[in-house]
Amino acid sequence: MLPSRLVRLAPDAGGIQKAAELLSTGACVAFPTETVYGLGADATNDRAVAGIFEAKERPSFNPLIIHVGSLEEASRYAEFDIPARQLATAFWPGALTLVLPLKPDSGISPLVTAGGSLVAVRVPDHPVAKALMSAFGRPIAAPSANPAGRISPTTADHVAAGLGDRIAAVIDGGPTDVGVESTIVGTAPPHLLRPGGLPLETIEAALGSPLEPAPQRSSPSAPGQLASHYAPAETVRLGTKSPQAEEFMIGLGAIPGDVTLSPTGDLREAAARLFSLLHEADTSGRPIAVAPVPDSGLGRAINDRLRRAAAPRS
Ligand code: TXA
Ligand code: MG
């Protein structure tokens, strides 16, 4: 059952117009991207951005990604060096977020960057997200549309279940295609901040050189770097070939389960189904076991999310 406050908008011109109007009033609206559903707000409006942190109960030191329609638009807010421009040209629109120096007088709310001098920016590749950005005309700050620390949403039902009584509306664009969040890359020199929907190997091939390891920081700058994240209510056991009787088993390839990430072991399909199956496993109320996932290509992002789902909770 959907809570009555949440307005579910159709992914058509009328729904997008309504969503853009809500954003203009400072409301939070969830919308589909090709990776996961985002919880959007006007990135230039402090009060609107504060609404995101409030709805998610997200620790305010975690900065947000701004979503824009093009590299040209992104250049109004962030400084692109040569490798950043090369990556943006190669992969935008798409599942790549770049963390870049924020331009002075960008107009972006300091809440978006957690008061820092770097801004995360991405151009999503989803018809509804694109139409929303062009109808709204300003950058949209959007984290994944889930309560802080919980499983990311890949359907409007996931959004409604997690945040239904706390946000104005969700545009229902059906299940997302990629299924894991964008890959996050910092620059000077290019380095990986979070594995994601764009494989590391693909980025390195475009750059013609390996990405540097992420610089060590004293405090995590991304919830993707917090140990426990994407947490279901029950425990999660990884790399399992034979589950205990009480466990809800998520299989892959030749290893069967109550459900499977992909019967053929296809990692693209596995990424697309990952969060949906974690939601389903969570709903079962049983402890969760997961088959081994190869640690290459999209498997890196899948294993990263699974490790965090399995990490001890604070
Ligand atoms: O695919 C995605 O990236 C989705 C869709 C909605 O675009 N968004 C998403 O947002 O995953 P979120 O907030 O769940 O994760 C964004 C990550 C966080 O780990 C955050 O800390 C990091 O990006 N981040 C944002 N701004 C940053 C900055 N200025 N410096 C370093 N990390 C930053
Ligand atoms: Mg998230």
Side-chain angles (χ1 to χ4, degrees), residues 232-238 240 242-251 257-259 277-291 309-310 313:
E234 295 295 325
T235 56
V236 180
R237 206 159 61 86
L238 303 181
T240 311
S242 45
Q244 314 283 309
E246 74 278 12
E247 282 175 332
F248 184 100
M249 176 72 186
I250 300 179
D258 294 279
V259 293
L277 294 186
L278 282 175
H279 278 283
E280 189 177 330
D282 197 16
T283 307
S284 77
R286 292 154 60 190
I288 300 164
V290 189
R313 324 284 157 74

Side-chain angles (χ1 to χ4, degrees), residues 1 35 42 66 78 96 162 314:
M1 271 296 291
T35 57
D42 180 350
I66 63 167
L96 172 72
S314 51

Side-chain angles (χ1 to χ4, degrees), residues 51-260:
I52 293 178
F53 290 100
E54 187 178 39
K56 283 185 62 105
E57 297 187 23
R58 178 176 175 124
S60 57
F61 55 78
N62 290 328
L64 303 173
I65 298 172
I66 63 167
H67 298 67
V68 295
S70 64
L71 170 56
E72 191 196 349
E73 212 183 315
S75 308
R76 287 185 222 149
Y77 307 105
E79 305 277 5
F80 285 74
D81 61 9
I82 290 170
R85 191 161 294 275
Q86 194 184 350
L87 290 176
T89 306
F91 299 116
W92 280 354
L96 172 72
T97 294
L98 294 169
V99 174
L100 303 170
L102 180 68
K103 278 198 168 167
D105 303 320
S106 65
I108 300 292
S109 164
L111 282 173
V112 168
T113 57
S117 60
L118 300 174
V119 64
V121 55
R122 124 172 162 85
V123 177
D125 188 13
H126 189 288
V128 172
K130 286 179 180 169
L132 181 61
M133 287 179 304
S134 102
F136 182 55
R138 286 197 287 280
I140 299 177
S144 51
N146 52 279
R150 306 307 299 239
I151 303 162
S152 295
T154 57
T155 66
D157 283 338
H158 295 159
V159 176
L163 297 175
D165 54 351
R166 328 190 103 219
I167 63 174
V170 57
I171 310 178
D172 188 348
T176 62
D177 185 34
V178 176
V180 289
E181 299 88 340
S182 60
T183 302
I184 305 183
V185 170
T187 55
H191 56 278
L192 183 70
L193 289 167
R194 176 178 76 180
L198 182 66
L200 178 67
E201 293 87 341
T202 311
I203 298 173
E204 292 183 336
L207 280 175
S209 60
L211 287 173
E212 299 291 320
Q216 294 298 314
R217 289 197 187 80
S218 51
S219 70
S221 63
Q225 295 160 23
L226 299 174
S228 173
H229 196 60
Y230 311 103
E234 295 295 325
T235 56
V236 180
R237 206 159 61 86
L238 303 181
T240 311
K241 292 190 172 153
S242 45
Q244 314 283 309
E246 74 278 12
E247 282 175 332
F248 184 100
M249 176 72 186
I250 300 179
L252 175 66
I255 299 177
D258 294 279
V259 293
T260 179

